[in-house]
Structure formats: C-alpha cells, structure tokens
Amino acid sequence: MKLKILQKNPCLKPYKEDLMLRMNNFYHTKEALLTSCETLKDFANGHKYFGFHQVPNGWVYREWAPGAEKMYLTGDFCKWDRHAHPMEKKENGVFELFLKGKRTLREGQRVMAIVVHDGEELDRIPAYATRVIQEPNSVTWNAVIHEPCSFGWTDENFKPQKKLFIYECHIGMAQEEGKVGTYREFRENILPRIKKLGYNTIQIMAIMEHPYYASFGYQVTNFFAASSRFGMPEELKELINTAHGMGIAVLLDVVHSHASKNTREGLNEFDGTDYQYFHAGAQGDHSAWGTKCFNYGKHEVLHFLLSNLKFWQEEYHFDGFRFDGVTSMLYHDHGLGTDFTSLEKYFSMNTDTEAVTYLQLANEMVRQVNPNAITIAEDTSAIPGLCLPIADGGIGFDYRLAMGEPDMWIRLLKETRDENWNLSHIYYELTNRWPGEKVIGYCESHDQALVGDKTIMFRLCDQEMYWSMGIEKQNAIIDRGMALHKMLRLLTMTLGGEGYLTFMGNEFGHPEWIDFPREGNGWSYHYCRRQWSLADRPDLKYQYLLNFEKEMVAQAKRNRVLGARDKQLLVNNGDHVLAYKKGGAVFAFNFDPTRSFDSCWIPVEEAGEYQVILSSDDFCFGGNGRIFHQNYTADRAPDGSVGFRIYLPCRTAVMLKKMPAKVSHS
C-alpha cells in the first residue's frame, strides 16, 4: 500500500507502520460492515428501519436492545397502559411491534418504551425518536409522534462555496429579547444580517436534542431529534431552505464524541446494561465532562452513528458537519493533559484506533450522500493526516479548526503588552500547519465568550464598554481596543487558515459574556442573548466594528485571500511592523501603540501601482482617517529591492492591491 501522506509529510516516515495500521483497520472494518450492501451510504439506514414508521395498514416500531428481556410500548394511544403492547423479540437483540390501523398513532401523541432488564421495568425514550419535548412546567421529557410529511425543498441546485466564511451561531440565544429564540425568528431576523455581513456558511450549535440547555448542546440525549425548544422540525427545514436560497451553506455541530449520561431520556443504559452503546465501566465515563463515551469498535454503534449523519443530511439538507470533541475521541485519555509536542504521541498505545476508523468511515459516508459535503474537525492535537484524503492515508476531513490561534491571542492579551508582541512568532503560529492540510482560522469562538473567559473586545476594554462606547466619548482604552480588535481579525482572517470563522456578535465586539439561565443567576436570560441593537444604534461605536467586518470579508473575497499562498515581505519586531502578500493583496500592520512611520518601506514582489483598498484607520471604522486611499508606486531601490513607501500610523492595518498596468496606445 502506497501512502501519499509520507510524500507530503516525510517526517512521518518513522511511523509508516502506524499509518499502515490506520488504513488496514479502515478497510477491514468497512469490509466487515458491507456484507449485505455495496457502500457505506447503503449501510447507514438504521433510521429507516428502527423507530416509528407508517406502513400501508398501520405502524411498525423497532428497537435494538440486546440486553433487554422484554419490551413494551406505551403512551397516549393506549392511555399509558404499560403492558398492553408487548414487543416481539427477534434476532440480534431487535424488538418489533406492529400496530394495526393508520390512526393508531397520531401526530403529537406521546410514547414511551418500557424495557425489562433483570426483571426491572425501565422507562426509555425510543432511541430513534425524531421529536422529543419537555412537558410544560416539568422536568419530564417525552417522545412525540411526528408524522412524516413532504417538505417543499427548493434547493436542489445549491452547492456550498469553495472558500468558507463561517458564522457560528446558536438558535436559542440569537434573539435580543431575554428568552429562547426560535428557528423562525432566526430565519427572519438573523439570516439577513449574516447575508449582509458577507458570510457564506453558518455553523449551528445545539440542534440535536439536549435537556440541559446550559450544555450548549454538547450533552445530547436524542440524536435524531431536532431541538423542540426552538420550534418544529419543519421550521428548521424552512430555515435551511431559506439559507440555501441566500447562497448560505448550513453545517450541523454534530456531537458523536460523547453523550449525555441521562438514562430515561438518553442512550445510557437503554437496554439496562452500561455497554450497549458505550464502553463498559470506567472506560465508558468521560471524567472531565461527566458524559458517556461511545464504543466505536461495535458495529451496531457504527451503524447508529453513521445512520445519524445520513439522517441529518437527507432529512434536513445539512451541507456537512463540524465534529465536536475530536481530540477526546482520538485518545484513550481524551487528550487531557497531553501536550502533543512530539510525533510519537500521535502514534502510541494512547491512540484510540477504533475512533480513528469511525471518523474515516464517517467522512467517506458523508460524501457518498453528498459529494459537496463539508466536514470540519474540532481537534486541539492536530493529529497528522486529519485533513488529508483517506486514500492518501488520512482521516478525510476537509478542515481542522485552528484552535491554537484563539489560545495564542488570549494568552498574548492576558500576559504580554501589545508593544512587546513578537510578530515573527505570531506570523509563524498563524501559518504553521501540516503540509497539504487545511484549517479554519479564527480569533474567538463561543468558547471565548462563555462565563469564565472573555471575548477579545471585552478583554481589551472590560468595564469601559459599559459607558464609553458612545461616538462622542473619548477614551484611550476604547480606542486601543477597537484598533486591536480590527487588526487581530484582519490578521487572523488573512493568515490563519483556508477558511475563517466567527461567533455571532463578535463581529461588532458584543460586550459581556454568555451565561445560560441557572440557579446562580436567578434563571435569567440577560446574558444569554445577542444585543444586535448595539450595532444598529448610530450613537454607539459598535457600528464601526461592524462596518469594518463587512468590508474585511468583502475585500478578502474580491482578492481571493483565503487559501492563497502567503509571502512574508517584512517583519520588524523593533518597530512592530509586519507586511505580507496573500492572494491579490498586500497587507501592512503597524502594532506600535504610539509611533507612526512617515515613510515606511514595504518591499513587494512586483513593481507598479499599489492602491489602498482597506484601512482600519478610516473614519467609517472608528479610526482617525490618517490613510489616504491613493496609489503608491513601487520602484526598484538602489539596493535592488522593489517596494514603496507609505505613511503607516500606529495601531493601523492597511490592505493594498496592485493595479493593472496601463496599456500604451502609441
């Protein structure tokens, strides 16, 4: 077997046997799964067999519960008689029930599975339930019959754009009012904002049903149910269909790294055992998260998870997935306390090879369903090959989240005065990645916005944001914060990855943190919302950051910056000046807090006219208007270098574009 990963990344040659094992595990597992079908797409049909399905003369309900002795179905339809409808136990731990008559089960009826294990009756929400609701004024959740109906999709020709500008969002907290927002409100109020900003992809958190709202959707109980607290399934479909009509792709933040430990609502101990879906004993418990860890070595678990991905693609038309907690999946210790400073840490007994195989299977299956699908891995370890094709020896993701970038910015802001930043180090951190592997760059995501941390703008300005963001207010802390907020975002967008991500509200420096309703804050929604009106008010400076974001995205698109080769032109740590070429543009940054340079020499690759197309110091962006949008002539200097001189004010970033040469008609 020839591994192209070794050609792209020769430093991995000592680990050829480990990479061969990776590929052998993948091919052997796939072969074992495909005994009765040809492709993983055909294999991943659990949702079409298990759960509730209408048939010509009634309903069929099936469940996989190998540890159960008996099963029953109860609910509204039988006045909650627990034993009126016993299920038939078939082969391989499958239970089945046929209910005669199409009206036996109806829309909105509550149902519950009764599992008998060791003589004890256990109430369980069906594993493949597609709608699960919380009862009013109660902590109780129940499965609800949701009759299938055709949805009028109009997105048959939609394809995601190649260069991803991702807007990470949460439906419930996307509204300004202190409440849980809905799919409909997001579609009507927030999608137009995202479109206007220029972002072409949304990554939606907390869609898979989760009883604990404050988990941000990362403690999933019902993997096939779209969160009912935001509305009906059809309303989510309408949101996605509308986004596609706007040219916006929609990614699901999928959680296959772990699951809620809840038993009545979730998968934990569904059939009475602790090893049905998860590892038995301590191995099945995530010590840091208090959740359950899937056993990726069981074919039935692979069937469940792969079917889950296919379901979200086909039923809801999601364009792909951001896989949460990949680091936790890849290593037996979940990556806790491991620094990954040497290659052997990626290829040791600590590596969960079964999880690696599952991720390869998932990436292959997702693209069989939709060849244009996008997959992104949340992995702090940066395991080699994560974002290379499976055929090359990789794991098959399109992108990895560059999680070291926000960590770098927060560390610098907390520990080092900006006049002491090492620009060479920053440039290296933003451009360093494995050969041929793509990343999504970002300054901050939802992680940096939670209580216990701070967004970049809030860390820069802190309490001054409460009373000094008026356009008439003069405040040095706010001036510094706004200047660096713009510079850091432009630097990260243009250097930090082949795609770019932001979390909703951060584009205009949303103040404060996110705090979900809880006993400690009086169950308040005050910090669990987005104050869009701050950016809309003409008397506040938030508008300037929003204006800059729009223009930054627009210019990055026009000049094809994302994914282009970067070329460092100048790094002067003494003067705090950095310049580089990316795509069709030249970028120059002066991070010095006080010194402006009247005649800063910017070396370039080609002579000609260079025009300023973006300046963070423009009045419309809250700056001082010290940069003229004029042309600068790049000539050859006496030492043979080519460049131009420009006035580069303190704490300012400038973007220039080489103008086409004038054609002589003589």
Side-chain angles (χ1 to χ4, degrees), residues 601-622:
W601 174 257
I602 305 296
V604 291
E605 294 181 301
E606 299 177 272
E609 296 290 313
Y610 287 78
Q611 183 182 59
V612 172
I613 55 176
L614 178 66
S615 166
S616 66
D617 195 53
D618 283 354
F619 290 122
C620 60
F621 306 140

Side-chain angles (χ1 to χ4, degrees), residues 270-300:
F270 183 89
D271 68 351
T273 70
D274 68 346
Y275 52 81
Q276 180 186 1
Y277 287 97
F278 310 111
H279 289 290
Q283 188 181 357
D285 296 323
H286 197 296
S287 59
W289 296 344
T291 51
K292 302 298 293 184
C293 301
F294 285 105
N295 182 351
Y296 304 107
K298 292 181 73 170
H299 291 180
E300 295 88 350

Side-chain angles (χ1 to χ4, degrees), residues 66-239:
E69 298 148 16
K70 300 178 184 179
M71 279 194 70
Y72 302 87
L73 180 68
T74 188
D76 292 340
F77 73 101
C78 64
K79 298 182 180 179
W80 294 96
D81 185 332
R82 294 176 66 85
H83 303 119
H85 294 283
M87 300 179 70
E88 179 184 358
K89 188 170 187 179
K90 304 177 81 68
E91 296 179 352
N92 302 318
V94 175
F95 287 80
E96 181 179 281
L97 173 66
F98 171 69
L99 294 171
K100 187 176 181 180
K102 288 186 177 181
R103 300 292 291 167
T104 306
L105 296 178
R106 297 192 298 276
E107 175 73 26
Q109 287 184 329
R110 289 149 174 79
V111 290
M112 180 66 65
I114 309 297
V115 174
V116 180
H117 175 77
D118 283 347
E120 182 182 3
E121 291 189 358
L122 308 170
D123 290 5
R124 295 290 185 262
I125 287 180
Y128 285 80
T130 57
R131 182 158 171 79
V132 178
I133 64 168
Q134 184 175 14
E135 299 297 340
N137 305 313
S138 170
V139 297
T140 302
W141 290 72
N142 282 314
V144 172
I145 296 298
H146 187 61
E147 296 188 56
C149 58
S150 60
F151 180 81
W153 293 101
T154 59
D155 62 349
E156 59 274 5
N157 296 319
F158 176 78
K159 292 182 180 179
Q161 296 184 32
K162 297 295 184 182
K163 305 300 180 183
L164 302 185
F165 294 82
I166 303 173
Y167 199 80
E168 184 186 29
C169 49
H170 182 288
I171 301 295
M173 57 175 290
Q175 300 306 310
E176 181 139 0
E177 188 179 349
K179 63 170 189 174
V180 177
T182 67
Y183 299 123
R184 179 183 58 79
E185 290 170 325
F186 189 94
R187 173 175 58 85
E188 294 177 353
N189 303 328
I190 311 306
L191 275 181
R193 287 182 175 272
I194 297 170
K195 175 67 175 178
K196 193 174 181 180
L197 268 174
Y199 281 83
N200 57 29
T201 306
I202 57 175
Q203 176 182 301
I204 312 183
M205 310 170 64
I207 291 297
M208 303 161 83
E209 192 61 86
H210 52 291
Y212 184 42
Y213 189 46
S215 75
F216 238 139
Y218 293 128
Q219 293 183 17
V220 176
T221 48
N222 314 106
F223 285 78
F224 290 84
S227 181
S228 59
R229 56 168 57 91
F230 307 140
M232 295 295 291
E234 289 71 26
E235 292 173 312
L236 174 57
K237 293 177 183 179
E238 184 64 31
L239 186 164

Side-chain angles (χ1 to χ4, degrees), residues 228-511:
S228 59
R229 56 168 57 91
F230 307 140
M232 295 295 291
E234 289 71 26
E235 292 173 312
L236 174 57
K237 293 177 183 179
E238 184 64 31
L239 186 164
I240 295 171
N241 195 50
T242 301
H244 287 167
M246 293 179 168
I248 298 173
V250 187
L251 305 181
L252 174 66
D253 199 343
V254 71
V255 187
H256 283 181
S257 49
H258 61 128
S260 170
K261 64 181 180 182
N262 292 20
T263 53
R264 184 186 181 277
E265 298 92 356
L267 297 176
N268 189 23
E269 299 181 17
F270 183 89
D271 68 351
T273 70
D274 68 346
Y275 52 81
Q276 180 186 1
Y277 287 97
F278 310 111
H279 289 290
Q283 188 181 357
D285 296 323
H286 197 296
S287 59
W289 296 344
T291 51
K292 302 298 293 184
C293 301
F294 285 105
N295 182 351
Y296 304 107
K298 292 181 73 170
H299 291 180
E300 295 88 350
V301 174
L302 296 177
H303 188 229
F304 179 86
L305 295 175
L306 292 173
S307 299
N308 188 232
L309 296 174
K310 181 179 178 180
F311 168 81
W312 289 108
Q313 287 183 280
E314 292 191 337
E315 184 68 20
Y316 287 93
H317 287 206
F318 278 98
D319 300 293
F321 304 96
R322 179 267 203 184
F323 281 72
D324 173 71
V326 168
T327 307
S328 177
M329 300 171 69
L330 291 173
Y331 308 99
H332 292 299
D333 67 355
H334 308 300
L336 300 173
T338 304
D339 54 18
F340 299 102
T341 54
S342 58
L343 284 171
E344 63 264 18
K345 294 186 179 181
Y346 298 115
F347 305 105
S348 66
M349 295 298 292
N350 187 35
T351 303
D352 189 335
T353 57
E354 292 172 343
V356 172
T357 298
Y358 164 65
L359 292 172
Q360 291 176 302
L361 294 167
N363 276 296
E364 179 166 306
M365 194 283 300
V366 163
R367 289 180 182 82
Q368 288 177 355
V369 176
N370 178 7
N372 298 303
I374 301 159
T375 59
I376 302 171
E378 187 212 30
D379 172 35
T380 58
S381 76
I383 187 172
L386 185 67
C387 301
L388 288 179
I390 297 168
D392 294 352
I395 298 176
F397 284 95
D398 292 305
Y399 302 90
R400 174 180 61 84
L401 286 176
M403 301 180 73
E405 294 176 7
D407 290 345
M408 176 193 71
W409 288 126
I410 296 302
R411 185 170 61 252
L412 284 172
L413 291 170
K414 287 173 64 175
E415 301 174 1
T416 309
R417 296 174 64 90
D418 50 285
E419 55 263 40
N420 295 328
W421 288 354
N422 186 317
L423 299 184
S424 298
H425 172 73
I426 292 173
Y427 191 94
Y428 172 81
E429 289 294 324
L430 292 176
T431 57
N432 181 39
R433 35 196 168 269
W434 295 116
E437 303 201 39
K438 297 186 292 187
V439 303
I440 301 292
Y442 63 110
C443 300
E444 49 191 346
S445 68
H446 69 271
D447 289 325
Q448 287 73 41
L450 291 168
V451 165
D453 207 337
K454 295 181 180 180
T455 64
I456 284 177
M457 190 61 180
F458 203 42
R459 191 172 294 281
L460 285 165
C461 301
D462 213 271
Q463 62 182 351
E464 294 297 327
M465 295 188 72
Y466 293 123
W467 46 71
S468 299
M469 287 297 284
I471 59 173
E472 303 300 329
K473 294 284 184 71
Q474 299 297 317
N475 185 288
I477 293 175
I478 295 295
D479 290 345
R480 171 183 178 265
M482 290 182 61
L484 289 178
H485 188 271
K486 291 178 286 186
M487 295 177 75
L488 266 56
R489 294 174 77 80
L490 181 62
L491 187 62
T492 306
M493 172 181 281
T494 54
L495 282 183
E498 288 69 34
Y500 180 74
L501 175 143
T502 192
F503 179 67
M504 62 179 187
N506 286 352
E507 69 274 8
F508 63 85
H510 195 286

